[in-house]
């Protein structure tokens, strides 16, 4: 990994941990933050936003993706996901699929506030994935 990439990932991890602090998770108490780096260098953050009806709850990763796409950014460089678990938790299956929509290869940096970190690839987290190409019959 280059020094630039390493520095970018450190910043992404910090932003995800900060976003986790804004999580609205009164039901599960499981707070998640995400920080998505896009090709022009912008970082879009997200946190989980829960709901009393439970199923409308939104994951942190998908909040970050929605903010990026709404801003016109669709080329993703890396995402950091912050939880308090040890080892740091990986994105849920639905979030993996949502990230996959914008590319098969994406570094997924899973972190916790204690400094633990797992650098993973989306393609390892979601092998043999379904994508828009599968719709081309
Ligand atoms: N959650 C996320 O925000 N991202 C994930 O990848 C896994 C789960 C949230 C959803 C819910 O608010 C809480 O964590 C417990 O599942």
């Amino acid at each position: 990994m280059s020094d630039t990439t390493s520095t970018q990932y450190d910043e992404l991890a910090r932003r995800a941990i900060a976003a986790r602090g804004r999580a609205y998770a009164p039901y599960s108490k499981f707070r998640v933050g995400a920080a998505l780096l896009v090709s022009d260098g912008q970082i879009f953050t997200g946190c989980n936003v829960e709901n009393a009806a439970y199923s409308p709850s939104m994951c942190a990763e998908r909040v970050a993706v929605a903010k990026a796409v709404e801003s016109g950014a669709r080329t993703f460089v890396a995402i950091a996901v912050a939880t308090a678990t040890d080892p740091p938790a990986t994105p849920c299956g639905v979030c993996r699929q949502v990230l996959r929509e914008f590319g098969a290869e994406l570094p997924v940096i899973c972190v916790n506030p204690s400094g633990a970190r797992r650098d993973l690839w989306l393609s390892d987290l979601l092998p043999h994935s379904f994508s828009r190409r599968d719709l081309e019959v």
Side-chain angles (χ1 to χ4, degrees):
M1 193 193 301
S2 71
D3 287 352
T4 312
T5 305
S6 180
T7 306
Q8 280 179 327
Y9 287 4
D10 288 347
E11 170 67 5
L12 219 48
R14 273 194 294 275
R15 295 287 297 271
I17 290 165
R20 179 176 173 272
R22 299 186 288 275
Y24 177 72
Y27 306 106
S28 72
K29 319 277 190 214
F30 190 80
R31 301 160 74 84
V32 186
L36 179 64
L37 176 66
V38 304
S39 55
D40 69 358
Q42 288 188 87
I43 292 174
F44 295 89
T45 56
C47 62
N48 54 333
V49 182
E50 297 187 344
N51 187 277
Y54 289 15
S55 63
S57 298
M58 292 179 279
C59 285
E61 299 91 322
R62 280 179 280 154
V63 170
V65 168
K67 287 167 68 176
V69 172
E70 193 282 331
S71 295
R74 293 183 186 170
T75 306
F76 300 165
V77 175
I79 188 167
V81 180
T83 55
T85 59
D86 196 5
T90 60
C92 76
V94 175
C95 289
R96 294 176 195 197
Q97 181 64 32
V98 168
L99 290 166
R100 168 64 185 91
E101 179 66 20
F102 301 95
E105 297 294 340
L106 182 75
V108 179
I109 315 303
C110 302
V111 297
N112 70 24
S114 308
R117 181 168 135 182
R118 301 162 82 183
D119 291 5
L120 303 166
W121 284 100
L122 181 61
S123 55
D124 291 329
L125 293 169
L126 193 68
H128 310 290
S129 61
F130 183 86
S131 74
R132 56 187 297 165
R133 286 184 61 183
D134 294 296
L135 298 176
E136 292 163 10
V137 287

